[in-house]
């Protein structure tokens, strides 16, 4: 009975840092893998990561808990796999070099409008996960995401002659903006759980790189499935 209690997580999780750093380094390697091998690469690396994590639990005799490896695996999957969709969009989709910019413009438009509208007109608190977010800011961010997506779609139609449908652009803008805002909230939830303000101090006043791309991470996989419908 005591041995069972030993495996019950107590207190804050302790991710396996060395494996997390290794997975982060592998992002660079995965991004140079030929597109035809991407799915096979993911199919190999994720089970291997899970195998290593459970082996670590056994090797440490339960000092590393299931909670610890769950948080570690979450970090690997969340960052490495989601970011992988960015080069896949660029290389795998028709007109991918044009479409890839929808990921960034929707994120930037959402963030800028959400900040401006929330700061000047925000009165209704949205969630305890992120105390500074307001309902007005979220609505403004969605509008901003749609505006930037439609503007870029106009540019694509007139400059690159893509013939994108404007109704589809609006729908895509809404969905990408909402997924980006959920990504931002997901990052805030992780920060609250780990009791940190920023992921790092790499960029003074702005936190770390993760703080800058948390919405892009969530937008990328959804963009991969949504953007092809824009190209006829």
């Amino acid at each position: 009975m005591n041995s069972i209690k030993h495996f019950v997580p107590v207190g804050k999780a302790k991710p396996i840092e060395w494996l997390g750093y290794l997975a982060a380094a592998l992002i660079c390697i995965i991004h140079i893998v030929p597109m035809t091998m991407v799915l096979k690469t993911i199919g190999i690396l994720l089970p291997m990561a899970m195998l290593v994590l459970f082996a670590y639990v056994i090797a440490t005799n339960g000092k590393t808990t299931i909670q610890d490896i769950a948080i570690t695996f979450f970090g690997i999957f969340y960052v490495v796999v989601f970011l992988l969709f960015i080069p896949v969009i660029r290389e795998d989709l028709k007109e991918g070099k044009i479409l890839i910019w929808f990921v960034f413009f929707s994120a930037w438009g959402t963030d800028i409008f959400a900040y401006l509208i929330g700061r000047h007109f925000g009165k209704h608190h949205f969630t305890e996960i992120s105390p500074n977010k307001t309902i007005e800011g979220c609505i403004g961010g969605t509008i901003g995401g749609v505006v930037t997506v439609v503007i870029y779609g106009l540019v694509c139609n007139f400059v690159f002659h893509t013939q994108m449908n404007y109704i589809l652009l609006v729908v895509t803008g809404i969905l990408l903006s909402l997924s980006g805002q959920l990504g931002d909230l997901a990052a805030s939830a992780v920060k609250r759980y780990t009791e940190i303000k920023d992921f790092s101090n790499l960029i003074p006043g702005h936190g770390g790189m993760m703080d800058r791309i948390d919405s892009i991470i969530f937008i990328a996989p959804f963009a991969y499935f949504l953007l092809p419908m824009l190209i006829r």
Side-chain angles (χ1 to χ4, degrees), residues 32-170:
I32 63 175
V33 171
M35 288 297 111
T36 55
M37 295 296 294
V38 167
L39 291 179
K40 290 183 179 179
T41 302
I42 296 174
I44 293 171
L45 291 179
L46 289 182
M48 283 182 62
M50 184 62 75
L51 182 66
V52 171
L53 287 168
F54 275 106
Y56 206 74
V57 172
I58 297 169
T60 59
N61 198 29
K63 292 180 180 179
T64 297
T65 68
I66 298 298
Q67 182 183 12
D68 297 336
I69 68 170
I71 295 298
T72 306
F73 188 78
F74 168 77
I76 294 171
F77 187 89
Y78 171 53
V79 179
V80 176
V81 177
F82 279 28
L83 276 180
L84 183 62
F85 280 92
I86 292 178
V88 172
I89 290 171
R90 186 179 185 276
E91 300 297 331
D92 193 45
L93 296 186
K94 179 183 177 182
E95 304 292 353
K97 293 181 180 179
I98 295 174
L99 293 177
I100 187 62
W101 287 100
F102 279 107
V103 175
F104 300 102
F105 286 136
S106 61
W108 295 337
T110 298
D111 289 345
I112 292 171
F113 274 70
Y115 173 76
L116 293 176
I117 299 299
R119 182 177 182 182
H120 295 288
F121 304 102
K123 295 181 179 179
H124 299 88
H125 182 59
F126 183 63
T127 174
E128 292 299 326
I129 293 176
S130 185
N132 294 326
K133 290 196 181 300
T134 62
I135 294 175
E136 292 82 0
C138 292
I139 295 173
T142 304
I143 294 172
V146 171
V147 168
T148 52
V149 163
V150 171
I151 290 175
Y152 181 60
L154 279 168
V155 172
C156 291
N157 282 347
F158 283 99
V159 177
F160 303 111
H161 310 291
T162 53
Q163 299 183 343
M164 294 183 186
N165 182 286
Y166 294 109
I167 294 177
L168 292 179
L169 280 170
V170 171

